[in-house]
Amino acid sequence: MFALLDCNNFYASCERVFQPHLNGKPICVLSNNDGCVIARSEEAKVCGIPMGAVAFEYEDVFKQHQIQLFSANFILYGDLSNRIMNIIRRYCNDVEVYSIDEAFMDFSSYQNIDLKKHCENLRAFVKQGIGIPTSIGIAPTKTLSKIANRIAKKFPNHTNHVYVLDSDEKIQKALKWMKIGDVWGIGRQLGKRFLAKGIKTAWDFSQLPESLVRKEMGVVGVRMLYELRGIPQLDLELPKTRKNIGVSRTFPKVCTSKDELEERLVTFAVHGSEKLRSQKSCASLLTIFIRTNTKKEGQQQYVNQFTVSLPTPTNSAIEWSKAAKLALSKIYLDGFLYKKAGIVIGGIVPETDRQMDLFTEDQYIKHRPIMKVMDVLNKKYRNNKIKLGSQHLDETWIMKQSFLSKFYTTDIKDLINVKV
């Protein structure tokens, strides 16, 4: 049997852990630069706040319903997530961390325990130890455990947030309840195609002939078909090395000079090289993109991108900074108000599998000791104290975070004082 633990309204719940007076009150968490809503409490959903709502367009609604706003505090959320995952590993040896607030557990080797009771204890431990409410679905396959989790979360009065699909009758009822567009792996667009064919529920899908599913979705669809029929096709997945690394930002104010834009892109490239070194990889492709605010009417628009191919894969911040400058010089045009820029690093290979170029001097070995010292110092002192000469020493671009909560668990200055 597989189980899926999903944290309820995770970002909003994290904020409530340290501000319990907000329990029962509407909360919204905003994206970077406080742009749009990325998480909502149940109370905020009732107030009619949709996911992705642009913050300034809903200012009146926020005030009308006294909705508490928070800027996304990913450092806090990541730390609480790690603590939850560590608790989960006490209750199951085989765990796949699926996202910051979800984890699959494989209980196939746990033959002689009451799984429902076991997961109820896990849920209670997470609530007591971290303060985050969770829901757990248990079923014979990963796909069915997703559906069981949905039921556990949707009907807490009947399930107490833990639900087990352990009989054919329960599975059939659950599949007939689940809309086709809500099935894990189907999505809205594919769901519309199936709806047009009269396939409305997961049950309808599970009764389709394998040949038709293979024609529509390939082998991925066939695996899903068997998963819904209760035949496991998906195992827990081990953490994988990233295929691409992206860093981008929407600027709080428009950027009008090449120097400003260049500094940002160099900084993004340096951050990308840090991620490469942290996963012991190198890469050979750097794509940069720049764009104006395409949603602003009456303004000249410009969007462009350029890709630089390095002769040998590297993770040197110095080489990536040169590549970013070269790419920008190919596409930059004066006279535009740039609002967003970013980089995407591709062609990632392990450090041990670098393909050398016969006619180019390899800087990787030369730069490696410098990069190692930079990483050690920046990890020790944080805030990227050691930078390249082409980066500003001060933090010139500060993200708009007007509603940022404290770093209760990661900064000693923000520790909570408890009066006894």
Side-chain angles (χ1 to χ4, degrees):
M1 296 286 274
F2 289 88
L4 174 68
L5 180 145
D6 187 6
C7 300
N8 300 345
N9 305 316
F10 181 58
Y11 293 170
S13 297
C14 288
E15 299 293 351
R16 281 174 167 164
V17 167
F18 300 96
Q19 300 188 60
H21 65 279
L22 294 176
N23 286 329
K25 297 181 179 177
I27 292 176
C28 286
V29 178
L30 305 177
S31 63
N32 290 340
N33 288 319
D34 296 340
C36 60
V37 174
I38 57 172
R40 307 157 294 164
S41 65
E42 292 298 330
E43 296 79 8
K45 294 176 186 175
V46 172
C47 295
I49 306 296
M51 184 64 88
V54 179
F56 73 85
E57 293 179 353
Y58 279 81
E59 284 182 350
D60 292 339
V61 183
F62 294 149
K63 289 178 183 175
Q64 179 187 350
H65 297 284
Q66 297 182 324
I67 295 175
Q68 182 73 45
L69 299 179
F70 288 95
S71 303
N73 188 342
F74 291 116
I75 294 176
L76 175 67
Y77 308 154
D79 183 64
L80 293 184
S81 172
N82 286 334
R83 293 168 189 242
I84 292 170
M85 299 307 165
N86 287 333
I87 290 177
I88 293 173
R89 293 187 182 97
R90 297 184 193 179
Y91 283 78
C92 182
N93 293 326
D94 301 310
V95 176
E96 174 191 340
V97 179
Y98 184 67
S99 68
I100 193 170
D101 62 347
E102 288 180 288
F104 284 105
M105 294 166 274
D106 183 354
F107 285 111
S108 56
S109 59
Y110 292 64
Q111 302 292 337
N112 300 314
I113 64 169
D114 183 341
L115 271 184
K116 188 171 189 295
K117 185 68 177 176
H118 189 68
C119 288
E120 285 174 346
N121 291 338
L122 165 59
R123 182 177 180 274
F125 202 118
V126 171
K127 178 63 177 173
Q128 182 183 12
I130 312 297
I132 300 292
T134 59
S135 297
I136 302 177
I138 308 166
T141 70
K142 287 175 73 174
T143 306
L144 286 175
S145 72
K146 270 273 190 183
I147 296 176
N149 185 283
R150 187 77 174 264
I151 295 172
K153 191 178 288 187
K154 190 79 175 178
F155 305 103
N157 294 334
H158 297 279
T159 64
N160 197 23
H161 288 286
V162 178
Y163 189 65
V164 188
L165 289 176
D166 53 0
S167 68
D168 291 341
E169 182 183 359
K170 281 186 173 180
I171 292 174
Q172 184 173 333
K173 287 178 69 175
L175 294 180
K176 289 182 176 178
W177 169 79
M178 177 66 79
K179 295 177 182 176
I180 185 66
D182 293 335
V183 176
W184 185 39
I186 292 287
R188 292 184 180 177
Q189 295 303 320
L190 202 52
K192 288 179 181 177
R193 281 172 51 191
F194 282 117
L195 278 175
K197 297 176 184 293
I199 302 162
K200 299 178 181 177
T201 65
W203 173 256
D204 297 335
F205 181 86
S206 69
Q207 301 305 301
L208 292 175
E210 181 180 327
S211 57
L212 177 61
V213 175
R214 186 181 294 277
K215 182 180 177 183
E216 292 287 336
M217 298 178 62
V219 68
V220 175
V222 175
R223 286 181 187 150
M224 187 185 301
L225 182 71
Y226 282 104
E227 284 263 314
L228 290 175
R229 291 175 179 176
I231 304 170
Q233 301 291 305
L234 305 173
D235 294 323
L236 297 186
E237 294 184 5
L238 297 174
K240 295 179 180 177
T241 302
R242 300 181 189 186
K243 294 181 179 178
N244 292 296
I245 292 174
V247 184
S248 67
R249 292 287 184 276
T250 299
F251 306 135
K253 59 180 182 179
V254 293
C255 184
T256 55
S257 78
K258 184 181 178 184
D259 288 345
E260 285 181 303
L261 207 51
E262 185 176 275
E263 195 277 338
R264 281 295 79 197
L265 287 167
V266 166
T267 299
F268 296 161
V270 170
H271 288 334
S273 71
E274 288 173 355
K275 292 179 181 178
L276 282 173
R277 295 194 295 276
S278 69
Q279 65 180 32
K280 300 187 184 305
S281 298
C282 291
S284 57
L285 296 173
L286 175 70
T287 299
I288 72 156
F289 67 87
I290 54 177
R291 63 190 300 177
T292 53
N293 187 351
T294 53
K295 294 183 178 178
K296 195 158 188 176
E297 297 180 357
Q299 180 179 297
Q300 276 193 309
Q301 301 296 338
Y302 179 65
V303 178
N304 208 343
Q305 64 177 44
F306 190 84
T307 299
V308 174
S309 177
L310 301 181
T312 57
T314 182
N315 56 23
S316 164
I318 299 171
E319 293 299 305
W320 285 115
S321 127
K322 291 178 181 176
K325 291 179 181 178
L326 173 64
L328 180 63
S329 69
K330 300 290 184 183
I331 58 175
Y332 179 79
L333 292 178
D334 278 324
F336 289 96
L337 306 176
Y338 294 99
K339 186 63 176 173
K340 185 173 183 177
I343 61 127
V344 178
I345 291 175
I348 297 175
V349 297
E351 280 182 326
T352 52
D353 293 346
R354 297 170 63 246
Q355 181 69 47
M356 307 296 290
D357 186 284
L358 286 176
F359 307 105
T360 306
E361 184 182 358
D362 184 24
Q363 300 290 337
Y364 170 75
I365 301 298
K366 180 180 177 182
H367 293 167
R368 191 165 59 178
I370 304 172
M371 295 301 109
K372 190 174 181 181
V373 172
M374 280 182 64
D375 291 339
V376 170
L377 293 177
N378 282 332
K379 185 176 181 181
K380 182 176 182 180
Y381 296 107
R382 298 188 177 183
N383 298 325
N384 293 316
K385 294 292 185 185
I386 308 299
K387 297 182 177 181
L388 299 184
S390 49
Q391 294 178 265
H392 285 297
L393 295 180
D394 298 325
E395 193 174 359
T396 56
W397 295 81
I398 300 174
M399 191 183 300
K400 183 182 176 184
Q401 292 179 306
S402 305
F403 313 102
L404 187 65
S405 54
K406 294 181 179 180
F407 301 99
Y408 298 103
T409 60
T410 57
D411 192 330
I412 197 166
K413 297 192 299 295
D414 292 338
L415 283 178
I416 291 179
N417 294 317
V418 179
K419 295 180 181 178
V420 180

